[in-house]
Amino acid sequence: MHCNKERERERGRNMGRSPCCEKAHTNKGAWTKEEDERLIAHIRAHGEGCWRSLPKAAGLLRCGKSCRLRWINYLRPDLKRGNFTEEEDELIVKLHSLLGNKWSLIAARLPGRTDNEIKNHWNTHIRRKLLSRGVDPATHRPVNDRPPSNITISFERREEKAVGGSEEPSGWRQHPQRPDLNLELCISLPFQQDPRPPHELTKREKSLCFSCSSGLQNSKECKCRGFSGLGNGKLSYRGLKMK
DNA sequence: AAACCTATCAACCGCAACAAT
DNA sequence: TATTGTTGCGGTTGATAGGTT
């Protein structure tokens, strides 16, 4: 069954890129108080970044990914924690209907919440809540409202036939399968903030964060400076994220 | 009190995206 | 342009707390 995966792992051990850490000498599982304190102290002193070298520098027997995850999901001082409010639940449902399982994007709109926290909350609470209301959490439509088995997707403008004067809600014209959603997304070039000429910016600096894409330039969440949003003609949602 | 079941959530894993070279 | 290294995301797992029988 898992032979391919095993082969991949074997290959990984023998050739190609090195693993993210020396697994034989790293701790796994729950973090101890002392490990937490070391990680917090190190990040307070040196800031976030370079997760790969952080464990050694901080004197931790953990891999960089583990440190990053622990910091982001648990130790960060700006985390809200505690139960989700009804308003947060509603917002998560709305954002999920628009973005799907893009937990990091959803988390970006909920200050103090992490993608992992929201994902867990979705899977344990919201999914069930929606199902109990008769709503399919995957499609956000009534569970018994199944689409026809043969669906032809056309990007042509639908002919609007005014039959007997009956009018469809405008949402149906925008998105026939999803009357409640308007998925016509617009992307435009935002204001260029950085005084440096574009060629002096790194690629990362030129990518637009979600904060700026939402018109929140200069917010404390903003991690980008400038824009190159459609590099190679490709729009990457990763480039639109904020943390 | 013990055994079993269920829910929760922290942590891990694999992989894709991106930057640097 | 190709290769390599790093980061971050989303799916999944596993430990354990709490509830039920």
Side-chain angles (χ1 to χ4, degrees):
Chain A
M1 274 302 193
H2 53 279
C3 291
N4 287 339
K5 289 247 174 193
E6 286 299 324
R7 267 200 294 274
E8 290 280 326
R9 284 209 188 100
E10 191 57 35
R11 219 169 354 156
R13 278 196 284 273
N14 296 331
M15 56 177 283
R17 69 169 56 168
S18 56
C20 76
C21 51
E22 185 48 68
K23 301 205 182 215
H25 301 105
T26 53
N27 293 340
K28 288 174 78 169
W31 280 63
T32 64
K33 201 164 192 310
E34 194 199 341
E35 285 178 312
D36 281 349
E37 281 164 4
R38 275 179 187 268
L39 181 56
I40 291 168
H42 185 271
I43 291 177
R44 277 204 187 124
H46 304 97
E48 287 182 51
C50 202
W51 295 107
R52 190 179 160 82
S53 59
L54 184 148
K56 201 175 178 185
L60 287 162
L61 293 172
R62 292 275 179 175
C63 83
K65 283 173 92 167
S66 181
C67 293
R68 177 186 159 271
L69 211 66
R70 182 64 179 170
W71 173 254
I72 287 173
N73 287 332
Y74 202 82
L75 299 175
R76 249 169 52 196
D78 57 327
L79 292 180
K80 195 186 273 183
R81 315 203 67 77
N83 292 339
F84 281 75
T85 64
E86 200 54 41
E87 288 74 31
E88 283 176 314
D89 278 6
E90 291 300 321
L91 183 55
I92 291 167
V93 171
K94 274 184 196 160
L95 289 168
H96 187 272
S97 73
L98 287 164
L99 302 166
N101 294 359
K102 299 284 176 246
W103 305 115
S104 61
L105 285 179
I106 294 171
R109 313 309 304 161
L110 284 133
R113 301 294 188 186
T114 70
D115 50 0
N116 205 35
E117 197 179 8
I118 292 170
K119 180 172 59 184
N120 282 333
H121 185 61
W122 175 270
N123 288 325
T124 56
H125 293 97
I126 301 180
R127 265 174 58 88
R128 226 174 303 146
K129 199 155 105 180
L130 290 178
L131 285 169
S132 74
R133 289 182 194 166
V135 176
D136 183 341
T139 63
H140 294 265
R141 295 192 57 77
V143 279
N144 50 7
D145 184 12
R146 297 188 182 283
S149 54
N150 285 333
I151 301 174
T152 304
I153 297 173
S154 167
F155 291 97
E156 288 175 41
R157 184 183 172 81
R158 242 166 55 129
E159 289 297 324
E160 295 190 29
K161 293 176 187 173
V163 181
S166 67
E167 297 230 338
E168 287 172 342
S170 62
W172 281 102
R173 283 195 293 276
Q174 287 163 350
H175 196 71
Q177 297 298 316
R178 302 288 305 271
D180 51 329
L181 289 179
N182 176 2
L183 295 179
E184 289 177 39
L185 303 176
C186 299
I187 298 168
S188 60
L189 294 173
F191 174 66
Q192 182 77 37
Q193 285 178 282
D194 201 295
R196 288 175 291 168
H199 69 269
E200 287 182 20
L201 299 171
T202 65
K203 280 189 188 174
R204 196 185 279 277
E205 284 173 325
K206 284 189 274 188
S207 68
L208 180 69
C209 72
F210 192 79
S211 175
C212 286
S213 74
S214 308
L216 299 171
Q217 285 94 347
N218 291 327
S219 79
K220 76 174 185 167
E221 305 289 351
C222 175
K223 289 244 171 162
C224 77
R225 306 209 292 164
F227 178 69
S228 73
L230 298 170
N232 304 328
K234 260 171 63 184
L235 173 65
S236 164
Y237 76 81
R238 283 192 177 217
L240 301 177
K241 281 174 185 169
M242 72 177 188
K243 259 281 165 188

